[in-house]
């Protein structure tokens, strides 16, 4: 019996099997097209799963009137694609039984991850940094202690809205130190964190899966040109050394902001161990070091590829564990 987990985000749809043998990431930007049904049908045809466990965050995409419309679109897309048992995980880390508030399915991918981390590692702050956001989830006695909506988690610093690929550099900082002095930055979407981390060698071109800010290429020269625009310059006005200097300041500022959010969650919950997952494990590691916290890597424990799609993997594992528990109960 093949069980797969699917994490349907606003930009990426990730899948993983419970045994870790299937790991895929599909760039499906919900806000600009409606390819999700077709993408899911392709996944169903390719893998023919017997069970599907679904988590989602894509309901917030601004193509939907509200979260409920997004949830219903995603659920209908899944229903049309898969002819097997389908289950959804809510923000309490429970399987949705078809009754109650459907909104509990919104932005619940981290709850599946927290369930697996809580059962296998224990008390910690689980930090998962993806392309767009960073979840900062306190876990105690095997259960997450986080707010159950993105809104509540933003208030509690359990959601840091910055990631490795799609974050506008202007969100992270308002000025830069250059050789000629302190320079304010433009608030246009000229460059994203993908340009910075690709230029610095923290991610490969293969991991630069999102679109570029200017629709141009993904070479280092392209990335440098986009970063130069952040200070309203081009490659004739600013040197490569200065562009690398900008990139390093962006990385440092993102680590500082992430550290501040983690520190707030740590103080509120009296925790000092960080478990990291996602594309941004290198940034989480730096934040843990800055804070002097113990650091445990999902990539080291389960593998680098699983770390990148951890909510999907955790969702699949959660479904298999539930099936096993039901079977054991029937035997007794």
């Amino acid at each position: 019996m093949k069980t797969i987990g699917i994490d349907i985000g606003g930009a990426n749809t990730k899948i993983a099997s419970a045994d870790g043998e299937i790991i895929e990431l599909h760039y499906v930007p919900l806000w600009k097209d409606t390819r999700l049904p077709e993408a899911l049908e392709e996944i169903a045809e390719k893998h023919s799963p017997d069970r599907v466990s679904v988590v989602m965050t894509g309901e917030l995409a601004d193509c939907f009137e509200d979260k409920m419309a997004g949830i219903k679109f995603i659920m209908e897309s899944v229903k049309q694609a898969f002819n097997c048992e389908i289950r959804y995980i809510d923000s309490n880390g429970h399987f949705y039984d078809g009754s109650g508030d459907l909104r509990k399915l919104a932005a619940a991918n981290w709850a599946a991850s927290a369930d697996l981390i809580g059962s296998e590692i224990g008390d910690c702050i689980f930090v998962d940094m993806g392309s767009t956001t960073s979840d900062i989830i306190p876990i105690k006695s095997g259960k997450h202690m986080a707010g159950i909506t993105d809104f509540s988690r933003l208030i509690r610093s359990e959601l840091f809205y910055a990631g490795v690929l799609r974050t506008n550099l202007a969100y992270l900082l308002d000025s830069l130190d250059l050789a000629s002095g302190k320079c304010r930055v433009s608030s246009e979407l000229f460059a994203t964190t993908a340009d910075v981390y690709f230029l610095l060698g923290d991610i490969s071109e293969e991991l630069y899966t999102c679109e570029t800010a200017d629709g141009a290429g993904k070479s280092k020269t392209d990335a440098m040109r986009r970063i130069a625009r952040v200070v309203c310059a081009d490659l004739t006005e600013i040197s490569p050394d200065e562009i690398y200097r900008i990139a390093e300041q962006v990385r440092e500022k993102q680590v500082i902001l992430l550290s501040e959010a983690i520190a707030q969650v740590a103080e509120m919950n009296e925790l000092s161990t960080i478990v990291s997952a996602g594309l941004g494990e290198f940034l989480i590691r730096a934040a843990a070091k800055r804070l002097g916290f113990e650091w445990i890597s999902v990539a080291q424990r389960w593998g680098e590829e699983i770390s990148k799609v951890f909510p999907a993997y955790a969702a699949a594992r959660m479904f298999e564990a539930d099936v096993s528990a039901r079977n054991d109960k029937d035997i007794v």
Side-chain angles (χ1 to χ4, degrees):
M1 299 287 282
K2 183 189 298 182
T3 303
I4 67 169
I6 305 179
D7 177 10
I8 301 173
N12 298 297
T13 292
K14 305 170 184 177
I15 71 169
S17 58
D19 58 13
E21 292 185 5
I22 299 171
I23 298 171
E24 294 177 3
L25 185 150
H26 302 263
Y27 181 59
V28 186
L30 295 184
W31 67 89
K32 64 180 296 184
D33 64 44
T34 56
R35 261 207 82 250
L36 181 64
E38 290 79 9
L40 292 176
E41 287 170 7
E42 291 167 8
I43 291 168
E45 183 176 354
K46 179 180 179 181
H47 298 294
S48 301
D50 301 291
R51 295 184 288 255
V52 172
S53 185
V54 183
V55 290
M56 66 180 78
T57 61
E59 76 290 331
L60 191 61
D62 55 15
C63 59
F64 303 122
E65 181 179 0
D66 54 26
K67 292 180 182 179
M68 185 64 79
I71 292 168
K72 289 180 177 179
F73 173 79
I74 290 170
M75 293 183 75
E76 184 61 28
S77 299
V78 172
K79 181 181 178 181
Q80 290 179 12
F82 295 96
N83 183 28
C84 63
E85 186 178 3
I86 301 167
R87 304 190 74 181
Y88 293 86
I89 297 170
D90 67 20
S91 53
N92 288 314
H94 302 147
F95 285 111
Y96 180 66
D97 62 5
S99 63
D101 188 0
L102 199 62
R103 287 177 176 268
K104 289 182 180 179
L105 299 182
N109 65 343
W110 55 268
S113 300
D115 181 81
L116 181 55
I117 294 295
S119 64
E120 298 211 5
I121 294 181
D123 292 4
C124 65
I125 300 171
F126 173 66
V127 186
D128 186 350
M129 180 180 286
S131 65
T132 311
T133 62
S134 304
D135 296 310
I136 304 171
I137 309 302
I139 300 171
K140 301 182 80 170
S141 301
K143 302 295 182 183
H144 80 73
M145 311 299 291
I148 60 171
T149 67
D150 278 356
F151 181 38
S152 64
R153 292 195 301 122
L154 278 169
I155 291 172
R156 296 152 60 115
S157 291
E158 294 162 352
L159 175 59
F160 172 45
Y161 219 96
V164 178
L165 302 181
R166 299 184 58 246
T167 303
N168 187 343
L169 301 193
Y171 169 75
L172 294 172
L173 35 73
D174 56 14
S175 64
L176 290 156
D177 291 322
L178 303 179
S180 52
K182 186 174 287 292
C183 181
R184 294 186 180 276
V185 305
S186 63
S187 62
E188 298 285 353
L189 179 54
F190 280 140
T192 66
T193 43
D195 294 312
V196 165
Y197 297 123
F198 174 56
L199 186 63
L200 294 177
D202 294 314
I203 64 169
S204 63
E205 187 174 355
E206 181 184 18
L207 292 178
Y208 195 147
T209 55
C210 65
E211 297 172 349
T212 61
D214 59 359
K218 297 178 180 179
S219 70
K220 289 200 171 183
T221 299
D222 292 321
M224 291 173 73
R225 184 179 62 252
R226 287 188 287 268
I227 293 170
R229 288 196 185 111
V230 173
V231 290
C232 299
D234 62 27
L235 297 184
T236 68
E237 297 177 275
I238 188 169
S239 71
D241 286 346
E242 282 282 75
I243 293 173
Y244 273 91
R245 183 174 177 176
I246 291 172
E248 288 166 354
Q249 288 178 69
V250 171
R251 181 169 58 188
E252 176 67 11
K253 187 60 179 287
Q254 189 162 359
V255 170
I256 290 171
L257 294 174
L258 178 63
S259 299
E260 290 173 353
I262 293 172
Q264 184 175 337
V265 174
E267 183 176 0
M268 289 173 58
N269 295 277
E270 299 181 326
L271 294 166
S272 59
T273 297
I274 293 174
V275 178
S276 65
L279 285 172
E281 281 213 52
F282 65 97
L283 293 171
I284 303 166
R285 180 177 66 247
K289 183 177 180 180
R290 177 181 289 271
L291 293 167
F293 287 0
E294 180 186 1
W295 170 68
I296 299 170
S297 166
V298 164
Q300 291 178 5
R301 184 177 181 119
W302 281 284
E304 187 174 340
E305 296 306 308
I306 286 178
S307 177
K308 295 170 189 171
V309 298
F310 196 67
Y313 174 69
R317 287 278 305 273
M318 190 170 168
F319 199 159
E320 284 224 328
D322 184 68
V323 170
S324 178
R326 281 185 286 164
N327 290 341
D328 290 345
K329 184 177 180 181
D330 290 342
I331 292 172
V332 173

